[in-house]
């Protein structure tokens, strides 16, 4: 029998390793020194207020409530010990060569444990199950504490999950089989390269960790993303108005105006030709106008929510009339852009303005009573903290908004990149969606404070007269404009049951459609992809579950359903309109300059 050869293992070159570690140590020392100096200068925490967001206080309150019921706590501890005892017994069975069913298994979509060693190797299977049992125990114990105020309970539950996600064995070298295997195979080069990635990200964030999600050099706005041809035909302090070049000989008489969110950039609707909603709408024969929001700095600190209405959709309506001669448009609002569109419709209803003939809302919340996990960040302590930071510089930094959204899906948007970039030492994969996700925007202080307090905290938009814009108390119930609501079933930013509540506020005809997938993939789903499905129901009962129960499911993209709906309001066709020789001067090529301003 031939002697089995040991696999080749690449041993590290001691000279190269020494040089690399020396370089990393020198760079680390400088970065850490600079970071500590900035922290001290910024005064992010002080002796007088070491917990400005009230997280520690929430956990203290939770602990006090938990200790008040020792019998319940003891029962939870016993349950955990019983689970561990079962795990030890079954692990012993496996070590003796016997079959043993797992005590607990990860969710089917949990990609942290996709490596086969997590199941095939008894030790790693034990580590995996130990973590899952502890995570389940911790989260269930915290969630079952009674007597906590709702906001405190949400905060404790959310940050407990952040801790649980951070402590996953997949996030550490010695307990991740793929990382261990790679370390042996490369002689530790993966960890050296991972340290270099880490330091590069710290340097890019000026001392704060900005995890690279993609190859940022692989994309350039206007070059290989956001490339649908068109012109900038108008500009003010807050928007550049883009008009796109037609691709059909005739177009719908009534133009289409798209109001994207300004928390992100509009080109999520125009990433590449094959998945561009803007390009697809142009190809369906729409004269498409898009508001491209400015990336504001301290000079726009006093711009308010009503300024965004006046200088955004209302200004765009005036210019679209000049460009096309049309008195009305079909409008689309996405997320926060949809919230602004609805508020604008209510303002216009109060003024007798009927220039929006139909309105489409993508993943838009109008009633914020059940705002999902984003409401975790909306209590008085945290709002005061955010407003304090905004008052210092006039805006909320885009990176802080990005971190908030990433925390909602920490395993996918934080820890997977920690493992890939820092532990495995791999370069991030070029991915246009993640490039867009990292292309942060700032929020003007006055606007953002108004939005957080009046919508998220006080839920005033859904109350008649609860919000006043430009001196006009608005009421969504006075909106009679036909409306199409599109929500996504797995949306973690605008939960579909929360967005469904908006259908109960308008007085005109409303259609609600539910797409599969989440906040982005549920919306950006071109028919050519043949992916997912959507649900429709002509009835609109108050209870969203009752609506879902009686829905009809259709395969593929909802885009075709929307096109059939909006065509009712097209007013026939006219010869195609070229922005190069329309009623407005062409100031620049699309996508314009506002969208190209990057923070990092």
């Amino acid at each position: 029998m031939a002697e089995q050869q040991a696999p080749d293992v690449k041993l590290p070159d001691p000279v190269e390793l020494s040089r690399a570690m020396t370089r990393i140590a020198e760079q680390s020392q400088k970065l850490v020194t600079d970071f500590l100096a900035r922290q001290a200068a910024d005064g992010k925490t002080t002796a007088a207020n070491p917990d400005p967001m009230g997280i520690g206080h929430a956990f203290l309150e939770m602990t006090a409530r938990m200790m008040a019921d020792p019998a319940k706590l003891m029962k939870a501890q016993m349950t955990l010990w019983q689970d561990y005892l079962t795990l030890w017994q079954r692990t012993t069975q496996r070590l003796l060569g016997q079959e043993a069913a797992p005590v607990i298994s990860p969710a089917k979509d949990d990609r942290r444990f996709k490596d086969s060693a997590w199941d095939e190797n008894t030790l790693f299977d034990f580590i995996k199950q130990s973590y899952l049992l502890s995570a389940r125990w911790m989260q269930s114990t915290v969630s079952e504490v009674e007597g906590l105020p709702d906001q405190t309970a949400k905060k404790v539950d959310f940050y407990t999950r952040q801790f649980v996600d951070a402590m996953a064995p997949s996030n550490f070298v010695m307990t991740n089989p793929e990382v261990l295997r790679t370390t042996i195979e490369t002689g530790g080069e993966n960890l050296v390269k991972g340290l270099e990635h880490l330091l590069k990200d710290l340097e890019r964030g000026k001392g704060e960790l900005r995890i690279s999600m993609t190859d940022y050099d692989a994309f350039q706005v206007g070059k290989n993303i956001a490339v649908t041809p068109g012109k900038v035909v108008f500009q003010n302090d807050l928007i550049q108005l883009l008009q796109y070049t037609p691709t059909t000989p005739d177009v719908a008489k009534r133009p289409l105006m798209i109001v994207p969110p300004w928390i992100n950039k509009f080109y999520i609707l125009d990433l590449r030709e094959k998945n561009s909603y803007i390009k697809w709408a142009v190809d369906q024969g729409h004269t498409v106008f898009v508001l491209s929001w400015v990336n504001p700095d301290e000079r726009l600190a006093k711009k308010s929510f009503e300024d965004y209405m006046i200088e955004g959709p209302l200004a765009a309506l005036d210019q679209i009339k000049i460009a096309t001669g049309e008195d009305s448009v079909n409008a689309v609002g996405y997320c926060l852009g949809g919230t602004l569109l609805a508020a604008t419709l209510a303002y216009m209803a109060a003024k007798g303005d009927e220039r929006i003939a139909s309105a489409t809302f993508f993943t838009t919340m109008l009633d914020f009573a059940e705002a999902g996990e984003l409401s975790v960040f909306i209590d008085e302590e945290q709002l005061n903290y955010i407003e304090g930071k905004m008052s210092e510089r006039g805006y909320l930094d885009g990176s802080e908004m990005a971190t908030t959204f990433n925390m909602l899906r920490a395993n996918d948007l934080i820890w997977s990149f920690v493992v890939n970039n820092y532990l495995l030492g791999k370069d991030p994969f070029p991915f246009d969606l993640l490039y867009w996700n990292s292309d942060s925007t700032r929020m003007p202080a006055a606007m953002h404070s108004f939005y957080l307090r009046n919508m998220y905290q006080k839920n005033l938009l859904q109350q008649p007269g609860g919000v006043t814009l430009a001196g006009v108390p608005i009421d969504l119930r006075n909106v009679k404009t036909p409306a199409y609501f599109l929500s996504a079933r797995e949306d973690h930013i605008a939960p579909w049951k929360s967005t469904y509540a908006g259908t109960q506020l308008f007085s005109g005809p409303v259609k609600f459609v539910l797409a599969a997938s989440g906040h982005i993939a549920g919306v950006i789903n071109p028919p050519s992809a043949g992916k997912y499905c959507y649900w429709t129901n002509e009835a609109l009962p108050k209870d969203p579950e009752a609506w879902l129960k009686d829905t009809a499911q259709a395969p593929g993209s909802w885009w075709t359903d929307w096109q059939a709906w909006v065509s009712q309001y097209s007013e026939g066709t006219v010869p195609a309109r070229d922005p190069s020789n329309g009623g407005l001067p062409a100031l620049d090529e699309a996508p314009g300059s506002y969208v190209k301003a990057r923070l990092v």
Side-chain angles (χ1 to χ4, degrees), residues 443-466:
M443 299 291 108
M447 182 285 302
H448 202 54
S449 179
F450 179 93
Y451 173 60
L452 293 179
R453 287 195 175 276
N454 287 278
M455 277 63 163
Y456 271 98
Q457 187 187 40
K458 299 177 183 177
N459 194 21
L460 294 179
L461 182 60
Q462 55 84 33
Q463 296 181 19

Side-chain angles (χ1 to χ4, degrees), residues 213-404:
M213 295 185 174
T214 187
D215 179 359
Y216 299 115
D217 296 329
F219 302 100
Q220 187 175 347
V221 174
K223 296 294 183 181
N224 56 0
I225 49 177
V227 294
T228 300
K231 304 290 183 183
V232 177
V233 295
F234 172 74
Q235 175 177 318
N236 61 25
D237 284 348
L238 288 180
I239 68 163
Q240 286 184 329
L241 183 64
L242 311 181
Q243 181 182 352
Y244 286 91
T245 303
T247 58
T248 57
D250 296 310
V251 294
K253 185 173 185 291
R254 185 169 277 148
L256 183 70
M257 179 182 76
I258 300 176
V259 185
W262 54 92
I263 285 178
N264 319 102
K265 294 186 177 179
F266 84 87
Y267 68 87
I268 186 61
L269 298 169
D270 189 31
L271 284 174
R272 293 164 294 153
E273 184 175 349
K274 68 178 184 179
N275 65 355
S276 169
Y277 171 80
I278 290 172
K279 175 70 166 60
W280 184 86
V282 169
D283 290 345
Q284 306 313 301
H286 293 285
T287 302
V288 177
F289 291 84
V290 173
L291 281 65
S292 175
W293 299 101
V294 74
N295 206 340
D297 56 23
E298 63 277 359
R299 292 170 294 180
L300 299 179
K302 296 188 182 301
K303 289 292 185 181
S304 64
F305 192 85
E306 68 181 34
D307 288 326
Y308 270 72
M309 176 185 75
I310 294 167
E311 298 181 46
L314 292 180
L317 287 170
D318 293 338
Q319 300 305 315
I320 292 171
K321 163 75 173 176
I322 298 172
T324 66
E326 296 299 325
D327 293 320
S328 60
V329 305
N330 293 313
V332 175
Y334 192 168
C335 192
L336 176 53
T339 305
L340 176 65
L341 176 60
T344 304
L345 283 169
Y347 173 84
M348 294 171 70
K351 304 285 282 187
D353 187 340
E354 299 181 347
R355 287 181 292 169
I356 295 180
S358 76
T360 299
F361 300 92
F362 298 164
T363 63
T364 296
M365 286 201 297
L366 304 180
D367 185 333
F368 290 75
E370 299 295 335
E373 288 194 323
L374 280 177
S375 62
V376 168
F377 302 94
I378 312 299
D379 57 27
E380 195 62 31
E381 288 172 314
Q382 293 182 97
L383 286 179
N384 285 335
Y385 175 68
I386 292 170
E387 288 172 340
K389 297 181 75 171
M390 290 194 297
S391 67
E392 295 173 3
R393 54 197 176 196
Y395 56 84
L396 182 66
D397 189 79
S399 64
E400 295 174 44
M401 290 294 301
T403 298
T404 297

